[in-house]
Amino acid sequence: MNHLFSFLFRSANTLLLFGFLLYAGSLMAQSGSKTNVIIIYCDDLGYGDLGVYGHPTIATPNLDKMAQEGLKFNQFYVGASVCTPSRAALLTGRLPIRSGMVSSEIRVLFPFSKSGLPDTEITMAEALRSQGYKTGMVGKWHLGHLEPFLPLQHGFDEYFGVPYSNDMRPNPNSKGASLHYPPLPLVEGNQTIETGIDQRILTKRYTRRALTFIEENQDAPFFLYFAQSFPHIPLYASEDFEGKSRRGLYGDVVEELDWSVGEVLNKVRELGLEENTLVFFTSDNGPWLVMKEEGGSAGLLREGKGSTWEGGMREPAIAWWPGTIEGGKSTQHIATTMDLYATALDLAGYSLPDDWVIDGHSMLPIMLEDKSIGDEVLYYWGAEIYAVRKGPWKMHYKTITPYVGEAAVAHDPPLLFNLETDPSELYNVADKYPSVIPQLQHVVEEHRNSFSPPPSRLEIVDSDLISGKKAYK
Ligand code: MG
């Protein structure tokens, strides 16, 4: 009896040991195969600017193919309708009101800004780096150009790019602060390596650098944040693309961005990483419509950059992950860049601290199971909520036609649109559906009562630099 007992006991131990080895083995295999993440983020690209989103005269064969092989989002949103807060939302997973990266007065960072993204935030790069990822950033940062705020201080192992918008350079036609701006800098790590750069070759240089990063880090899990400077104006294309598109210079620039996307996807394939890499393409905000032919198109959506109409904050978005995401589909599920943050953390296996609030959910249910992850969107304009969406309904407290010198218009009662039957927000149906308004107001009130916003960091500026009393270093 004793013998039998001791035999059973030893067998059980052996089984346990065997089980443990299997478990450890699978953990190792998993950590060795963490999914790479590449985010390609354009600047001011409109919902209607790609072939696959219906543009008739801009040719985007690489993005069209990416959508064919991946998942196209019809209702993908950014966290703000201008650069700085939109980028803060993507990299922190939080509405930018939570990090202080908003202002209703000074809507983005400028060369005269003295602040940037606070280090209390948990950036996507910091989270992924803590899970063993190599982290690289190429392109436009716009979350603080002074050293304490640059990408290297926010979780990136390397950085190559322009620290703010490509129009923030001396402008002889301007009477404002931009008269005194320094020539556009190119930054490597924390150092400015060039000033007054040739923007015609910027997309090419960014792309080359992105491909090098992917090559050099092919054996480690990696995260590449590739933020293009274009099609933000002033527009520049290389000689391979200039004058080639049917849509003029704007089309040339977008076609070069399309080429760049193709280079990235080809590199991922060439290295055999395509089944282990999620590539996500989108843009920071809608088209800059007052720039006329030099600005893009929001397609059938109303308005563009700087507004809380759909054209300001709904963006083209494509997810590509061959073998995991089924190709050739589009989704109506609502998602945002803050969900993209949560997705990257999910893939890396990173858990946020329990008391840390974010505004996103992993998109894996959308991408893998065609399941919704939420149906609400808050549309902030600076520090103020102008509109809210729940399901098909969108309600506007205020609307603005941006960049024409007009003040915002307040609506009381608020405007109400059904985005499914009226995606262009043309027909106010508030009178017809009075019971919907309180439901939407409830979403806003719950959000407002849940936190107190910190002071704005975009309002911290050097007024001597603005006036020209002091020169830029
Ligand atoms: Mg922008």
Side-chain angles (χ1 to χ4, degrees), residues 208 263 273 277 285 362 388:
R208 223 177 292 135
E263 291 295 291
L273 300 174
T277 305
N285 53 252
S362 173
V388 57

Side-chain angles (χ1 to χ4, degrees), residues 43-44 83 87 232 284-285 305:
D43 195 353
D44 296 4
C83 298
R87 284 149 209 271
H232 193 287
D284 67 335
N285 53 252
K305 173 177 178 168

Side-chain angles (χ1 to χ4, degrees), residues 88-159:
L90 168 68
L91 287 188
T92 66
R94 287 146 59 83
L95 286 163
I97 186 86
R98 296 188 196 273
S99 56
M101 294 300 283
V102 289
S103 161
S104 301
E105 308 299 321
I106 301 176
R107 300 197 58 217
V108 298
L109 292 166
F110 288 91
F112 50 74
S113 299
K114 283 166 55 175
S115 191
L117 191 67
D119 56 18
T120 44
E121 293 297 311
I122 301 167
T123 69
M124 196 189 290
E126 282 161 351
L128 269 57
R129 183 155 77 176
S130 78
Q131 299 304 104
Y133 280 64
K134 295 287 177 192
T135 54
M137 181 185 172
V138 176
K140 173 176 169 176
W141 173 240
H142 217 179
L143 290 171
H145 71 288
L146 300 177
E147 188 168 328
F149 309 106
L150 284 174
L152 261 50
Q153 284 64 255
H154 280 298
F156 288 99
D157 298 324
E158 54 179 271
Y159 173 55

Side-chain angles (χ1 to χ4, degrees), residues 122 138 188 211 243 267 284 311 337 346 409 452:
I122 301 167
V138 176
E188 163 87 61
L211 300 184
K267 179 57 72 182
D284 67 335
T337 49
D346 191 4
V409 180
S452 348

Side-chain angles (χ1 to χ4, degrees), residues 356-378:
W356 191 250
V357 178
I358 66 166
D359 296 290
H361 300 281
S362 173
M363 296 191 289
L364 292 183
I366 297 181
M367 299 195 297
L368 311 183
E369 303 163 69
D370 190 21
K371 280 194 184 141
S372 165
I373 57 165
D375 68 346
E376 292 172 7
V377 181
L378 288 162

